[in-house]
Amino acid sequence: MFSHTRQDFPSDFLFGAATSSYQIEGHAQGGAGRTHWDDFAQTPGNIADGTDGAVACDHLNRWPEDLDLMRDANFDVYRFSTSWARVMPEGRGPVNEAGLDFYDKLVDGMLERGLKPAATLYHWELPSALNDLGGWRNRDVAGWFADFTQVVMERIGDRVWSAAPINEPWCVGFMSHFLGHHAPGLRDIRATARAMHHVLLAHGRSTEVMRGLGMSNLGAVCNFEYAVPADGSPEAAAATRTYDGYYNRFFISGLMNKSYPADVMEGLGAHMPDNYQDDFDLIGQPLDWVGLNYYTRKRIAAAPGPWPHLEEVPGSLPKTQLGWEIYPEGLHAFLKRVHDGYTRGLPLYVTENGMAWNDKLVNGAVKDDKRIDYLDTHLTQVKRAIDEGIPVKGYFTWSLLDNYEWSEGYVPRFGIVHVDYASQTRTPKASYLALQKALAQ
Ligand code: FCB
């Protein structure tokens, strides 16, 4: 049971769930081009269970059932993404009409069911052909992304309720080019600095295209992780500041303050593209809202070696299936921090929040009480922020369906709906049923 109902939130507060294209659609179908995730997944050792997104949840064919699930949960809004390679298989040039038709039908399907379509243009599946050209390292990516934006939004931009260019610039830039955990799997500081900047440049170009098409309600979605020092030493405090800088401050500062934090530039400055400062007017153009994705807290210790001189160490809080510490207060902290320090009155949305658990289907039911508790305690923190006057306007849980969790494959289950991948049977979990009740009008 949830301790909250819809009535505890302002009457215009929106509830929704989020998904992303590569994680659910089935990318081997419908004429989609190859993506850098297909390449990454076919390289041994990158994916925990060796899988890829070829079939995933077969959402490409089962989307009517999935949208019915959204509607029947009493959600108001559905956050989905459009796959670049499905629409433009080579990333540039020829358009796969079947791909465009799919998103067109999907948007109409949402509207028919009374769901507001919240589009994200890029949730990580870069066409391989563009990765061949340097991908996010190449400044031209911003122009390619602007063209993709134009093609998609000329088709669906008249009907989407909101749009954001890119999901989680930190993951696109840092995690994928410095840590090597996600495609393209690089571990290179120069590639990282360039990708981190180009992803914001692409955001800016894409936003400009959408404004040009007359679209409104445009935003940006960043992810945040609450960082705490592993011990009381000054070194751990410094390491935590550095982590916080490249994770939690770099992108929001570029977007809202037209600058990058000086402490992050101590590490990345030497590797930035020439004259990157000239791009800030494009990057920092006005937005209508900012979305925060929040999951966890990290403990940070100092470590020898080159910048950033830090490492993550295990924490003591209860953890999810992925070992992520559960720390609901961090969500409130970031809503406050982003509002006070950056957005200053702009509407905020929690665009992702949820947890993985090793959910089991037993006699046709999934008892995911831990997830109910996770969502409920995080909603408490959202409400706390609203009560303090912070303009939080909506909350999306990650995710509607169990799905392809990137380098963790299909083992972690993040859905409020269970998916049996062999039969593609969907079964609403206890968390879905509890939400459905809490959100009833
Ligand atoms: C976020 C991603 C999403 C999913 C969740 C668990 O960082 O946006 O695709 O992987 O984490």
Side-chain angles (χ1 to χ4, degrees), residues 246-304:
Y246 65 66
Y247 206 122
N248 300 319
R249 287 184 274 116
F250 183 89
F251 298 99
I252 192 76
S253 172
L255 290 165
M256 293 292 140
N257 295 349
K258 300 188 181 186
S259 67
Y260 294 140
D263 56 350
V264 180
M265 285 297 108
E266 282 172 25
L268 294 182
H271 311 286
M272 296 296 287
D274 291 343
N275 305 319
Y276 70 89
Q277 294 93 340
D278 297 349
D279 297 326
F280 277 130
D281 282 340
L282 190 61
I283 290 172
Q285 65 194 281
L287 293 176
D288 303 310
W289 54 270
V290 163
L292 292 85
N293 293 357
Y294 175 78
Y295 290 91
T296 189
R297 171 187 106 148
K298 284 281 163 60
R299 287 177 77 223
I300 308 299

Side-chain angles (χ1 to χ4, degrees), residues 6 23 63 89 118 121 131 136 154 173 199 207 225 272 287 294 355 399 406 432 434:
R6 186 185 277 286
Q23 293 179 276
W63 62 269
L121 278 153
N131 194 39
W136 290 104
E154 268 177 356
V199 78
T207 303
E225 265 191 14
M272 296 296 287
L287 293 176
Y294 175 78
M355 67 172 277
S399 183
W406 308 113
Y432 175 100

Side-chain angles (χ1 to χ4, degrees), residues 19-20 23 79 123-124 167-168 170-171 175 182 221 223 247 293-295 322 324 351-356 398-399 403-406 414:
T19 64
S20 91
Q23 293 179 276
R79 179 170 177 256
H123 199 127
W124 304 355
N167 180 64
E168 299 186 351
W170 182 83
C171 292
M175 182 165 59
H182 276 189
V221 173
N223 53 326
Y247 206 122
N293 293 357
Y294 175 78
Y295 290 91
L322 288 173
W324 297 0
T351 31
E352 283 181 30
N353 177 240
M355 67 172 277
W398 182 272
S399 183
N403 61 57
Y404 183 61
E405 179 46 33
W406 308 113
F414 266 100

